[in-house]
Amino acid sequence: MSFNTALSGLNAAQADLNVTANNIANVSTTGFKESRAEFADIFSTSSFGASGTAIGNGVLLANVAQQFNQGNLEFTANTLDLAVSGEGFFILSPSDTNTNAIFTRNGEFGVDSNGFVVNNAGARLQVFPVNADGTVTATSLSSTIPLQLPQTQGVPTVTSAVDIGVNLPANGSILNPLAFDPLQASTFNASTSLTVFDSLGESHVVTAYYVKVADNQWATYYNTTDDVGATLPIDITGGIAGAGGQLYHLTDFDNSGGFQSNTPDPIITTAIDFGNGSDPTQTINFNYANNGTTQFSSPFTVNVLNQNGFPIGRLTGVEISETGVVRANFSNGQTNAIGKIALSRFQNAQGLSQIGNNSWEDSVESGTPLVGEALTSSFGQIRSGALEVSNVDLTAQLVNLISAQRNFQANAKTIETNNTITQAIINIR
């Protein structure tokens, strides 16, 4: 009997050594959670209970329990390196054909050939769908989708409105609006240019020319260039006939230099055909009111110059907030929210089933995953450009090695002692 008791001790010590060795082997594994060998004694009883003189029958390995305490954060220069500071697991989808969710604390993510954000095993990071402002539209596990980075910003946005605010010099010379010529600087007092976009996303430079026609009154012409570089006058709907029959608008100021009115109002161009196959019915509304348009005795200045068109944009970068909102930045200056990283937690994290690669699956013991957003309920904060390192305490593990080794030696000594006693009995004559 004592041989078997000592043998169970050897097996337990060996299991302890194996668990400790595995912890030490993964001391540099991102998101790794150390394990602890838990033992229980073996005690035989009869149907009437244990005898007062009964002796235990050894030890057995009761459980190998992972310890989900927080590891330290290590900061990197990669935006897609993610860490959860606090409670929560990232949710992953293993593949197109296997949509069963798996869970991890390892935030080493990259991008595959299709633009999906994946871990080093190819599992896709799951996010909640969001509105344009980053608010989540659904927060259930079934509503999560793989995070995919867009390559373009979709179709271009045609320029339809321009906000413009200028100061026109009150001491400017009065000129004849019928003598306006965009190639002769002496026929206008000031000018400014901006870039607009047609329905194909192609850019065009539109120039506004300001001509003082009377005290407190200015005429404004607009020109651009067509697809072959020729000057293209832009007419104003309902405007005033000017040089070469081009239609312009008037802007009036009061005696204090404040903006008073436009004629016509609103200032909307007639259809512009840029000659490149874009929409020939494009019009632009120029808005001077409430944009700081003045006539003071100071040099010509541009205070406001904005337009609402955009070309097709290429992805230039990704930003991930502390709450997990993923925003894609594009070369056309646009920023779009494309998802919010989903987190999950469990009533009993130690009941999760290990599947390798620092990943787990839910089980009956863990309970169903509770899904939510970072910094809500008991979920932690998402840190972009950081990784959670292994929570293994190397010093403590080395001490465990010594203890396991001593336990193994002690149980081996028990077997040796039993062998000596048995041999003595055999040698009795």
Side-chain angles (χ1 to χ4, degrees):
M1 180 66 70
S2 56
F3 280 103
N4 290 333
T5 301
L7 181 59
S8 72
L10 286 177
N11 290 334
Q14 183 63 58
D16 197 10
L17 281 170
N18 291 341
V19 171
T20 304
N22 185 61
N23 290 339
I24 294 174
N26 286 281
V27 71
S28 298
T29 302
T30 302
F32 178 79
K33 299 302 178 185
E34 68 176 358
S35 297
R36 180 180 67 194
E38 299 176 349
F39 301 98
D41 63 329
I42 303 173
F43 199 81
S44 296
T45 62
S46 68
S47 57
F48 298 103
S51 167
T53 58
I55 300 173
N57 293 327
V59 62
L60 57 80
L61 180 64
N63 188 31
V64 177
Q66 287 204 292
Q67 308 302 301
F68 285 94
N69 52 299
Q70 176 84 45
N72 293 329
L73 298 188
E74 182 179 81
F75 293 92
T76 72
N78 184 2
T79 302
L80 291 179
D81 283 342
L82 302 176
V84 179
S85 180
E87 188 173 359
F89 293 82
F90 296 113
I91 304 173
L92 304 177
S93 175
S95 66
D96 285 334
T97 57
N98 181 6
T99 57
N100 292 328
I102 60 176
F103 310 93
T104 186
R105 294 277 295 192
N106 183 354
E108 293 176 319
F109 294 110
V111 182
D112 67 10
S113 59
N114 295 314
F116 288 101
V117 176
V118 298
N119 68 359
N120 50 28
R124 297 173 177 176
L125 178 65
Q126 298 294 107
V127 296
F128 297 124
V130 294
N131 297 312
D133 61 356
T135 56
V136 172
T137 60
T139 58
S140 64
L141 181 59
S142 61
S143 69
T144 60
I145 58 175
L147 177 59
Q148 186 176 26
L149 303 184
Q151 296 304 306
T152 65
Q153 171 54 10
V155 297
T157 302
V158 65
T159 299
S160 62
V162 173
D163 289 329
I164 186 167
V166 295
N167 177 69
L168 300 173
N171 56 358
S173 301
I174 296 176
L175 303 174
N176 181 4
L178 298 178
F180 168 72
D181 182 351
L183 300 180
Q184 297 294 326
S186 60
T187 64
F188 54 90
N189 300 83
S191 65
T192 187
S193 299
L194 76 155
T195 300
V196 300
F197 299 93
D198 61 28
S199 59
L200 300 178
E202 186 173 342
S203 63
H204 305 273
V205 175
V206 171
T207 304
Y209 301 89
Y210 301 98
V211 182
K212 186 175 182 180
V213 297
D215 288 338
N216 300 329
Q217 190 175 66
W218 292 74
T220 306
Y221 286 90
Y222 300 94
N223 277 12
T224 186
T225 54
D226 62 17
D227 197 39
V228 295
T231 299
L232 178 66
I234 299 176
D235 288 328
I236 301 300
T237 301
I240 302 164
Q246 183 179 355
L247 302 180
Y248 64 86
H249 71 83
L250 288 174
T251 302
D252 291 299
F253 298 89
D254 60 28
N255 292 331
S256 299
F259 173 83
Q260 195 168 47
S261 64
N262 284 312
T263 304
D265 187 15
I267 305 168
I268 301 177
T269 68
T270 57
I272 305 173
D273 185 358
F274 289 106
N276 61 346
S278 62
D279 182 7
T281 65
Q282 178 179 354
T283 61
I284 302 175
N285 182 2
F286 289 89
N287 178 28
Y288 285 85
N290 304 316
N291 285 315
T293 297
T294 57
Q295 181 200 242
F296 295 141
S297 183
S298 59
F300 172 80
T301 55
V302 178
N303 302 317
V304 175
L305 193 60
N306 300 314
Q307 56 83 33
N308 64 348
F310 297 98
I312 293 177
R314 298 292 175 183
L315 184 69
T316 58
V318 175
E319 296 177 359
I320 302 175
S321 71
E322 293 179 348
T323 59
V325 177
V326 183
R327 300 183 186 275
N329 299 326
F330 298 90
S331 58
N332 59 5
Q334 294 296 286
T335 299
N336 280 1
I338 57 177
K340 189 170 188 179
I341 296 173
L343 296 180
S344 64
R345 59 185 178 87
F346 299 87
Q347 295 289 357
N348 176 27
Q350 288 189 339
L352 290 169
S353 298
Q354 289 183 260
I355 58 174
N357 199 38
N358 290 342
S359 299
W360 296 267
E361 289 180 336
D362 58 311
S363 67
V364 174
E365 289 77 14
S366 69
T368 57
L370 306 173
V371 181
E373 306 168 44
L375 293 180
T376 64
S377 184
S378 59
F379 288 105
Q381 172 187 359
I382 291 179
R383 302 296 298 269
S384 175
L387 293 172
E388 181 185 3
V389 300
S390 168
N391 66 351
V392 173
D393 183 341
L394 186 57
T395 301
Q397 296 303 314
L398 293 176
V399 172
N400 288 346
L401 274 182
I402 296 173
S403 298
Q405 180 184 14
R406 295 302 184 199
N407 292 340
F408 191 94
Q409 291 174 334
N411 282 283
K413 189 65 175 178
T414 299
I415 292 177
E416 180 182 347
T417 301
N418 276 294
N419 179 58
T420 301
I421 293 172
T422 303
Q423 187 65 44
I425 294 172
I426 291 173
N427 290 336
I428 294 176
R429 291 180 171 82

